[in-house]
Amino acid sequence: MADIAAPAYRSIPIIPALLPGAMEGKGPFVASDKINEALGFPGHLVDDWHDVAIAKMGDLLSKYRSLKVYMDACVHCGACSDKCHYFIGTQDPKNMPVARQDLMRSVYRRYFTLPGKLFPKLVGARDLTKEVLDEWFNYYHQCSECRRCSVFCPYGIDTAEVTMAAREILDTIGYGQKYSNEIIGKVHKIGNNLGLPAPALIDTLEGLEEDVKDATGIDVRFPIDVKGAEVLLITPSADFFAEPHIDSLIGYAKVFHATGTSWTLSSMSSEAGNFGMFIGNYDQLRTIALRIRQAALELGVKRIVVGECGHAWRVAYSFWNTLSGVGDGADPNDRFAQMLQKQLDHRYRQPSHICEFTWDMIQDERLVFDKSLNDKYRITFHDSCNVARGSSMGGYPGGQFDIPRNIIRAVANNFVEMDSSTTHERTFCCGGGGGLLTDDLLDVRVKGALPRMEVLQQVADEHSVNFMACICAICKAQFTKVLPIYGFDRKVIGGVHQLVSNAIQLGVK
Ligand code: SF4
Ligand code: SF4
């Protein structure tokens, strides 16, 4: 930590000078045998890793047509090259999205195209050597799968999907990443990313009830495992104990209380996050999602609402329907998916985001706010990448941008937008997404935060902004860590429902 410093802000955000090799060897820790084996992966690099990796690549190319198109379609126009926050912050040319793709494309050409088999040097094809494999591990773990580069690609090439494929191949040969695989193991064993057991969770919730009673005089409940509740809240486990996350959890509870909504958490399924997506592994993604279905069926809830977590909302919005039967498109041959379809109340969006829930209640005039209680803040909003580029809200295009902002304007007086080249679908990742939120990657995280910090600094200087709201647990954790390195107070970051919690008037309606 001591030797990690923030890069200097750029006076004009131009393409940075190249520093070849700057981030070589700066990748994450490799997972141990125990961690890998708990997920059913080989414990360590298998002897015939080369052949297994190429076979797996062939399997993915045949299964995912998009991957093959991405391998073939790039014309090296360079439009994506300066769009990645990790390239901007590290200046390592291998962190350019096109170069990141080429790490795999060069191997694809060698083994899956005729020119690459016949004239490898002429077409930039490379054998998959151990050196190349190490390069994959290093640089595919310096991509947060944020998809910003794909917004600028004329062919829509999605580097995140290439990164996911590379990580899937690495896991198949026993070369997984410690952080993501360890977290997935905790979800399978305990039910959440933090490894927080049920008794500790129940204690925390009871403590929160006392805290809110002391602060407001009102009995706001934080119910858990309540059969027959209307709403099952699935939220990131960071909401249960870390600051500023917990302030948003208090906000959700106050909204449910004020609207008379019966709700519950689940001790068995106490995690919205799904790192199965980060490692590109469908089986892990599905197994994690099925815990939520099981909880919903056991508790008999009518609605599933997802808390403030960016990638969790992408998984819920985009994949839960086919993974677990929540939403349209549930597998007609999956008995449990069909049971859930019958159980859920289809007058509501399934699943709903907590912001959709709160905004609906605001529009129905079922919530009362004293906006002046947020007057100490001048607020901006950071669009989290998975929400911005992998989901929607409100049932219309762009709802994922409007609804959180609508809520902020409903609960606070002072709202300022950041530079439009860095918001909405062009937003920059916080620098900690995609399985990178680990201290062994702190250097790349700090450097990757540069573009967002530059623009935050701009609104801080010009408009005295002192609070950056967001709706993602990873963004909150990442910014809490890197804000002080850039000279900001760590409390500048917080959740949208933290602002809701500050302003909501309980016992008024
Ligand atoms: S981190 Fe985001 S912008 Fe950079 S290569 Fe990956 S998907 Fe593209
Ligand atoms: S913008 Fe698309 S086509 Fe152009 S270099 Fe990047 S990935 Fe290739």
Side-chain angles (χ1 to χ4, degrees), residues 83-86 97 100 143-149 159-160:
K83 303 304 185 293
C84 175
H85 48 295
Y86 294 119
R100 201 185 310 285
C143 167
S144 55
E145 303 172 350
C146 78
R147 310 173 87 211
R148 185 171 196 266
C149 48
T159 316

mmCIF file of all heavy atoms in Angstrom, residues 83-86 97 100 143-149 159-160, ligand 1:
data_model
loop_
_atom_site.group_PDB
_atom_site.id
_atom_site.type_symbol
_atom_site.label_atom_id
_atom_site.label_comp_id
_atom_site.label_asym_id
_atom_site.label_seq_id
_atom_site.Cartn_x
_atom_site.Cartn_y
_atom_site.Cartn_z
ATOM 1 N N LYS A 83 -9.961 3.834 -24.840
ATOM 2 C CA LYS A 83 -11.229 3.911 -24.111
ATOM 3 C C LYS A 83 -11.226 3.132 -22.797
ATOM 4 O O LYS A 83 -12.188 3.175 -22.053
ATOM 5 C CB LYS A 83 -12.381 3.400 -25.000
ATOM 6 C CG LYS A 83 -12.517 4.136 -26.335
ATOM 7 C CD LYS A 83 -12.678 5.625 -26.145
ATOM 8 C CE LYS A 83 -12.946 6.392 -27.424
ATOM 9 N NZ LYS A 83 -11.822 6.418 -28.382
ATOM 10 N N CYS A 84 -10.159 2.407 -22.549
ATOM 11 C CA CYS A 84 -10.106 1.586 -21.334
ATOM 12 C C CYS A 84 -9.415 2.338 -20.205
ATOM 13 O O CYS A 84 -8.307 2.851 -20.376
ATOM 14 C CB CYS A 84 -9.355 0.290 -21.626
ATOM 15 S SG CYS A 84 -9.118 -0.729 -20.164
ATOM 16 N N HIS A 85 -10.068 2.368 -19.047
ATOM 17 C CA HIS A 85 -9.506 3.075 -17.894
ATOM 18 C C HIS A 85 -8.177 2.458 -17.455
ATOM 19 O O HIS A 85 -7.319 3.149 -16.929
ATOM 20 C CB HIS A 85 -10.509 3.075 -16.739
ATOM 21 C CG HIS A 85 -11.093 1.726 -16.454
ATOM 22 N ND1 HIS A 85 -11.889 1.063 -17.359
ATOM 23 C CD2 HIS A 85 -10.981 0.901 -15.386
ATOM 24 C CE1 HIS A 85 -12.256 -0.103 -16.859
ATOM 25 N NE2 HIS A 85 -11.707 -0.234 -15.675
ATOM 26 N N TYR A 86 -8.003 1.148 -17.662
ATOM 27 C CA TYR A 86 -6.734 0.533 -17.254
ATOM 28 C C TYR A 86 -5.600 0.938 -18.199
ATOM 29 O O TYR A 86 -4.468 1.097 -17.762
ATOM 30 C CB TYR A 86 -6.867 -0.994 -17.178
ATOM 31 C CG TYR A 86 -7.807 -1.416 -16.075
ATOM 32 C CD1 TYR A 86 -8.960 -2.135 -16.348
ATOM 33 C CD2 TYR A 86 -7.558 -1.057 -14.751
ATOM 34 C CE1 TYR A 86 -9.834 -2.496 -15.339
ATOM 35 C CE2 TYR A 86 -8.430 -1.408 -13.727
ATOM 36 C CZ TYR A 86 -9.569 -2.133 -14.031
ATOM 37 O OH TYR A 86 -10.435 -2.473 -13.028
ATOM 38 N N PRO A 97 -7.852 -2.240 -25.236
ATOM 39 C CA PRO A 97 -8.800 -3.336 -25.485
ATOM 40 C C PRO A 97 -8.430 -4.186 -26.694
ATOM 41 O O PRO A 97 -8.503 -5.421 -26.643
ATOM 42 C CB PRO A 97 -10.125 -2.598 -25.693
ATOM 43 C CG PRO A 97 -9.965 -1.342 -24.883
ATOM 44 C CD PRO A 97 -8.523 -0.961 -25.006
ATOM 45 N N ARG A 100 -5.648 -6.409 -25.798
ATOM 46 C CA ARG A 100 -6.113 -7.453 -24.867
ATOM 47 C C ARG A 100 -6.785 -8.580 -25.671
ATOM 48 O O ARG A 100 -6.528 -9.752 -25.449
ATOM 49 C CB ARG A 100 -7.087 -6.846 -23.851
ATOM 50 C CG ARG A 100 -7.202 -7.680 -22.591
ATOM 51 C CD ARG A 100 -8.240 -7.169 -21.611
ATOM 52 N NE ARG A 100 -8.208 -5.778 -21.265
ATOM 53 C CZ ARG A 100 -7.326 -5.194 -20.443
ATOM 54 N NH1 ARG A 100 -6.367 -5.905 -19.908
ATOM 55 N NH2 ARG A 100 -7.397 -3.891 -20.184
ATOM 56 N N CYS A 143 -8.678 -6.470 -16.675
ATOM 57 C CA CYS A 143 -9.885 -6.040 -17.398
ATOM 58 C C CYS A 143 -11.052 -6.273 -16.456
ATOM 59 O O CYS A 143 -11.184 -7.368 -15.908
ATOM 60 C CB CYS A 143 -10.062 -6.887 -18.666
ATOM 61 S SG CYS A 143 -11.694 -6.732 -19.453
ATOM 62 N N SER A 144 -11.855 -5.260 -16.235
ATOM 63 C CA SER A 144 -12.975 -5.414 -15.303
ATOM 64 C C SER A 144 -14.268 -5.810 -16.027
ATOM 65 O O SER A 144 -15.336 -5.755 -15.435
ATOM 66 C CB SER A 144 -13.176 -4.124 -14.501
ATOM 67 O OG SER A 144 -13.350 -3.037 -15.392
ATOM 68 N N GLU A 145 -14.150 -6.187 -17.301
ATOM 69 C CA GLU A 145 -15.317 -6.651 -18.069
ATOM 70 C C GLU A 145 -16.407 -5.578 -18.083
ATOM 71 O O GLU A 145 -17.594 -5.872 -18.009
ATOM 72 C CB GLU A 145 -15.853 -7.966 -17.482
ATOM 73 C CG GLU A 145 -14.793 -9.059 -17.439
ATOM 74 C CD GLU A 145 -15.217 -10.310 -16.686
ATOM 75 O OE1 GLU A 145 -16.263 -10.280 -16.017
ATOM 76 O OE2 GLU A 145 -14.487 -11.319 -16.757
ATOM 77 N N CYS A 146 -15.958 -4.312 -18.168
ATOM 78 C CA CYS A 146 -16.900 -3.194 -18.019
ATOM 79 C C CYS A 146 -17.634 -2.850 -19.311
ATOM 80 O O CYS A 146 -18.613 -2.137 -19.309
ATOM 81 C CB CYS A 146 -16.169 -1.964 -17.508
ATOM 82 S SG CYS A 146 -15.228 -1.115 -18.795
ATOM 83 N N ARG A 147 -17.098 -3.281 -20.456
ATOM 84 C CA ARG A 147 -17.699 -3.115 -21.779
ATOM 85 C C ARG A 147 -17.682 -1.678 -22.308
ATOM 86 O O ARG A 147 -18.402 -1.367 -23.248
ATOM 87 C CB ARG A 147 -19.134 -3.656 -21.798
ATOM 88 C CG ARG A 147 -19.239 -5.061 -21.233
ATOM 89 C CD ARG A 147 -20.648 -5.520 -21.110
ATOM 90 N NE ARG A 147 -21.131 -6.130 -22.323
ATOM 91 C CZ ARG A 147 -22.396 -6.091 -22.724
ATOM 92 N NH1 ARG A 147 -23.292 -5.448 -22.010
ATOM 93 N NH2 ARG A 147 -22.773 -6.677 -23.819
ATOM 94 N N ARG A 148 -16.892 -0.811 -21.702
ATOM 95 C CA ARG A 148 -16.845 0.554 -22.236
ATOM 96 C C ARG A 148 -16.278 0.546 -23.650
ATOM 97 O O ARG A 148 -16.775 1.239 -24.538
ATOM 98 C CB ARG A 148 -15.998 1.460 -21.341
ATOM 99 C CG ARG A 148 -16.018 2.925 -21.805
ATOM 100 C CD ARG A 148 -15.370 3.858 -20.794
ATOM 101 N NE ARG A 148 -15.734 5.235 -21.074
ATOM 102 C CZ ARG A 148 -15.012 6.073 -21.801
ATOM 103 N NH1 ARG A 148 -13.883 5.662 -22.326
ATOM 104 N NH2 ARG A 148 -15.421 7.312 -22.006
ATOM 105 N N CYS A 149 -15.249 -0.254 -23.869
ATOM 106 C CA CYS A 149 -14.615 -0.267 -25.190
ATOM 107 C C CYS A 149 -15.606 -0.674 -26.279
ATOM 108 O O CYS A 149 -15.547 -0.165 -27.405
ATOM 109 C CB CYS A 149 -13.408 -1.205 -25.190
ATOM 110 S SG CYS A 149 -13.720 -2.824 -24.459
ATOM 111 N N THR A 159 -14.988 -6.843 -25.561
ATOM 112 C CA THR A 159 -13.767 -7.386 -24.942
ATOM 113 C C THR A 159 -14.091 -8.149 -23.671
ATOM 114 O O THR A 159 -13.390 -9.103 -23.320
ATOM 115 C CB THR A 159 -12.777 -6.247 -24.599
ATOM 116 O OG1 THR A 159 -12.725 -5.344 -25.703
ATOM 117 C CG2 THR A 159 -11.396 -6.779 -24.320
ATOM 118 N N ALA A 160 -15.148 -7.727 -22.971
ATOM 119 C CA ALA A 160 -15.504 -8.414 -21.719
ATOM 120 C C ALA A 160 -15.765 -9.890 -21.983
ATOM 121 O O ALA A 160 -15.368 -10.755 -21.198
ATOM 122 C CB ALA A 160 -16.738 -7.761 -21.106
HETATM 123 S S1 SF4 B 1 -11.757 -3.081 -18.659
HETATM 124 FE FE1 SF4 B 1 -13.561 -2.437 -19.839
HETATM 125 S S2 SF4 B 1 -12.773 -0.943 -21.343
HETATM 126 FE FE2 SF4 B 1 -11.013 -2.120 -20.558
HETATM 127 S S3 SF4 B 1 -10.753 -3.791 -22.019
HETATM 128 FE FE3 SF4 B 1 -12.008 -4.567 -20.332
HETATM 129 S S4 SF4 B 1 -14.105 -4.270 -21.039
HETATM 130 FE FE4 SF4 B 1 -12.817 -2.963 -22.329
#
